[in-house]
Amino acid sequence: MSTYPLPQQEPQGAQESVALQAPAHEAHHAALGVDSKKIGMWLFIASDCMFFGALIGTYLIYAGKSTVGPYPQDLFDIPLTTVSTFILLMSSLAMAMAVHGAQHGDMKKLKRWLGLTILMGLTFLGFQVYEYSHFIAAGLTLSRNLFGTTFYVLTGTHGVHVALGVLWLTLLFITALRGDTKRVNPVNVEIAGLYWHFVDIVWIVVFAVVYLMADVAA
Amino acid sequence: MAEHQSQAAAVHHRAGQGGKGTERTITPKQYFTVAAILAVVTALEVAVVYIEAMRPVLVPALLFLSFLKFLFVVMYFMHLRIDKAIFSVLLVTGLIMGLGTFIAIGAIIP
Amino acid sequence: MATITSTTARTLLRPTAQKGLLSWLTTVDHKRIGIMYFWTALFFLFIGGVEALIIRLQLARPNQTLVHPETFNQLFTMHGTTMIFLAVMPLIAAFINYLLPLMIGARDVAFPRLNAFSYWIFLLGGIFLNIPWFFGQAPNAAWTGYVPLTLNQYSPGLNADYWLAGLQLVGLGTLISGFNFIVTIFNMRAPGMTLLRMPVFAWTTLIMSFLVIMAFPSITIALFFIMFDRMFGTHFFNIAAGADITLWQHLFWVFGHPEVYILILPAMGIISEVVPTFSRKPLFGYSVMVFSTVAIGFLGFSVWSHHMFTIGMGAVANTAFALTTMTIAIPTGIKMFNWIGTLWGGSIRFKTPMLYALGFLSMFVIGGLSGVMHSAAPANMQQHDTYFVIAHFHYVLIGGALFGLLAGMHYWFPKVTGRLMNERLGVASFIFSLIGFNMTFFPHHFLGLMGMPRRIYTYDAAMGWNTLNMLSTVGAFVLAFGFTLVLVNLLVSIKKGKEAGPDPWDARTLEWITETPPPVYNFAVTPLVSSRDEFWARKYQGAPALAAEEPGPIILPAPSYFPLLMSIALTVAAFGLVYSNLLLTIGLAATLLCIIGWAFEGVGEVTIYPKGFEQQ
């Protein structure tokens, strides 16, 4: 008679929640079986694809349209940027190792690699500051031409992402030093890691499209 | 400490369920291998720029190489290889939307 | 009654008030936040409505000078901005906040503090946008903010500064809500509530939230571009430096077109709940309805350039966007037929919610059809920027979105308050609204085809637009009277409405299973869901009332000061964007402190002992 099919068996998860009252927030026994914060971070990454898509798209649309110099090929120092790119890539390795440490309950390993990630993040930012000051000295300001406008806003937004990442990791690091294992749990470290790796991916694209293709775009 | 280990075990257990391959986790050795690959591919990218003979295929070569790096980072460092499929779906959705939209705008604006 | 975990109490001050102003300022309860959204949205709806009436008065007769031309620009700019960002979207957020967790069997949203933050930043952002009215410099470059109108040369005053910074605030709140609702739907469903058992309203919320998180980044970037052009002399939109101003239009409409689906999808969800209940039939074609919603979501991202047919994109682009735009009529049409299929053969009860739902069905068809007319690029050249466009989007936004929300308001009022709304007043409000609405906006079709441009300050008597404009103005006041009746009905019924009982409409979905009004913990025990229309199945089809857990103490998220504090800090930063770098620095530093405090405070827990399970 019934047009409403009843389930053949107990839905997944029902048994566990009988034993334990599920708190009504992040720690809620999850219908997808993963932490809500992790889903949230992946959603943020999907959304950030549009964010950086707009910035990189604008850079490319305006590439080669500057009416006055300096132009990209006058300024870019590929070997230097290769070094900073390398450092950012290796910071992702360090971050992955930190997450590995957190997931295996190895706080010592976590702290060591987290500290290294922070250091490499700061080094990358240092390279960016050096690069900016060098470019400004060479006459490329934010308001000099379209190249300056789009270049600084794109790489600057990425730099802000890196800086916020460094801040986030530093907070985690301090919390880990204080021995607060409740807050420095595998999920919290992992989502910070996801953010960090995403910022790294964006740089992979920026390095290829903005720096290495500079001659073609112009 | 015991609590931590059980948490870690739970993470592994879940990760294993979502994975397609036989491995349930990514080992430090794999992380280091990926990092080495990333370094090599970056070197290749830079080499492509300086080799005159590569000029005609510069853009496709660079796009391919950076896509390779992208894949390694998301698959290994971001665990998509062993994690729930939903995360891959979310990332691909974001990428398709972003790429589709801004390639179209780039094509329309002269 | 409630205990607070000692770890958080030790490190940071945590509010404990459960009654009074402080409890509302620090609440993280999705139902309270929903109610605050509701009244705030109604307030802004009133402001936007008054602006609309002044616009109509100015246009009632030719050559009038009721308001200054500059004021007129500010009126239509703020009318559009207010109605979209501060009235309809928050009204949608009110429904989602209150109902979504109840509908999927959850006790709150996934991130309760972020949810509170979304509300506060919307409230402060809304006030922020309206502040320049007090010194006569309200935003004046239309809700689309086209460059170069918003650049320094044409907008040297504070108008554009307030608009840019205010939209960033409001947009941030919306963006965070989007993440929050998606995670809630993915992860907080009660056991047994599979994705394809969710009410359609939850589905439309899911797709709408995806549209939000994919569309808002584009406008955020675009607004920053203008800000930078104004503040730092960058060249994003400086033609002399080689830039292209159509970039703004692209970035704006990449957000702007999905935005219209953001506004209409939740209303479609509400209709999909109201129509089956009052037809006493299950929704016709549930799965097709869901997939149409998904299809609209994807297609909604491929049509933005149909707002720009007249800028000379070329034949290929025009054709492509005309085709994608026509395609989107297919899933929309499917939905329309599904609702008609639901009505067909049902035993229909014409209560107020159903009347508004039927109003939605008929009016949305008109708006949808004029939309299809726009999609033909050659015809669009004639209709572009005329009153025809105004007719079109008011039919989808008032006849569509707002009527849908009014249907929902009358439908769920008993759930929220435990009282029924007055049926007579409800019917009267519907009749006046429907007649007034059509009187106001149907003439706009003709005015548009007769060539009356949008956003025009006044017109010459010889243009032949006099009668229709007068008709439209009179209609606007009839519509306003109809909406006033709704407000009166709300206020009267809250105090004096008839007792509703637990199930006044013989409803179908999960939110009616729990007490009315719902307790703070929503469900004393989380239900185990076994059917699409769970409540109906339990009432009439012998489905057992299963629970997914034993009765016991319930853990809820703890209230927090930080959502409010952080939105205040960001609002200070927004003032800084308008006035001074010092203020900006202070605001951002305070925001940073709030983020740190937020992180170290943690979610916190309050334990509640439901009735029949008092603390031992």
Side-chain angles (χ1 to χ4, degrees), chain A residues 33 38 42 65 103-105 201, chain B residues 1 8 14 70 83 87 110:
Chain A
K38 197 168 155 187
W42 275 108
K65 288 187 184 164
Q103 288 179 340
H104 290 79
I201 294 177
Chain B
M1 197 64 199
R14 282 208 296 259
F70 165 87
D83 222 333
F87 300 135

Side-chain angles (χ1 to χ4, degrees), chain B residues 13-82:
Chain B
H13 183 59
R14 282 208 296 259
Q17 281 178 336
K20 292 185 198 82
T22 46
E23 310 115 295
R24 316 174 86 198
T25 180
I26 295 170
T27 60
K29 203 178 151 192
Q30 283 174 302
Y31 285 137
F32 278 97
T33 315
V34 168
I37 294 172
L38 290 175
V40 170
V41 176
T42 307
L44 273 179
E45 283 182 325
V46 178
V48 166
V49 175
Y50 285 105
I51 298 171
E52 208 52 46
M54 292 294 281
R55 270 291 129 124
V57 290
L58 182 67
V59 171
L62 284 176
L63 287 180
F64 173 75
L65 290 172
S66 57
F67 181 67
L68 212 61
K69 284 158 79 181
F70 165 87
L71 270 187
F72 273 107
V73 173
V74 296
M75 285 303 204
Y76 287 91
F77 288 170
M78 296 170 90
H79 302 157
L80 282 186
R81 204 178 128 83
I82 57 164

Side-chain angles (χ1 to χ4, degrees), chain A residues 26 32-46 99 103 168 186-192 194-195, chain B residues 11 14-15 77-80 82-84 86-87 90, chain C residues 111 183 186-187:
Chain A
E26 282 117 293
L32 276 192
V34 274
D35 193 278
S36 287
K37 280 187 267 187
K38 197 168 155 187
I39 306 176
M41 180 46 69
W42 275 108
L43 286 169
F44 171 78
I45 288 172
V99 174
Q103 288 179 340
W168 186 355
V187 169
N188 281 356
V189 179
E190 191 184 1
I191 56 165
L194 287 176
Y195 174 84
Chain B
V11 167
R14 282 208 296 259
F77 288 170
M78 296 170 90
H79 302 157
L80 282 186
I82 57 164
D83 222 333
K84 295 251 175 202
I86 177 80
F87 300 135
L90 290 177
Chain C
F111 307 111
V183 179
F186 275 169
N187 232 13

Side-chain angles (χ1 to χ4, degrees), chain C residues 320-378:
Chain C
F321 282 99
L323 285 174
T324 52
T325 307
M326 289 172 194
T327 315
I328 215 163
I330 296 171
T332 315
I334 289 173
K335 285 182 158 229
M336 195 54 73
F337 282 108
N338 277 334
W339 289 316
I340 295 171
T342 310
L343 290 166
W344 191 266
S347 54
I348 300 173
R349 289 170 297 164
F350 291 99
K351 297 282 188 185
T352 316
M354 186 59 163
L355 290 178
Y356 275 109
L358 294 174
F360 170 96
L361 294 186
S362 45
M363 294 302 107
F364 186 71
V365 166
I366 299 178
L369 286 178
S370 54
V372 177
M373 290 170 73
H374 290 311
S375 70

Side-chain angles (χ1 to χ4, degrees), chain C residues 440-453:
Chain C
T440 314
F441 294 106
F442 205 75
H444 288 186
H445 290 112
F446 300 103
L447 284 170
L449 293 181
M450 288 156 82
M452 180 163 164

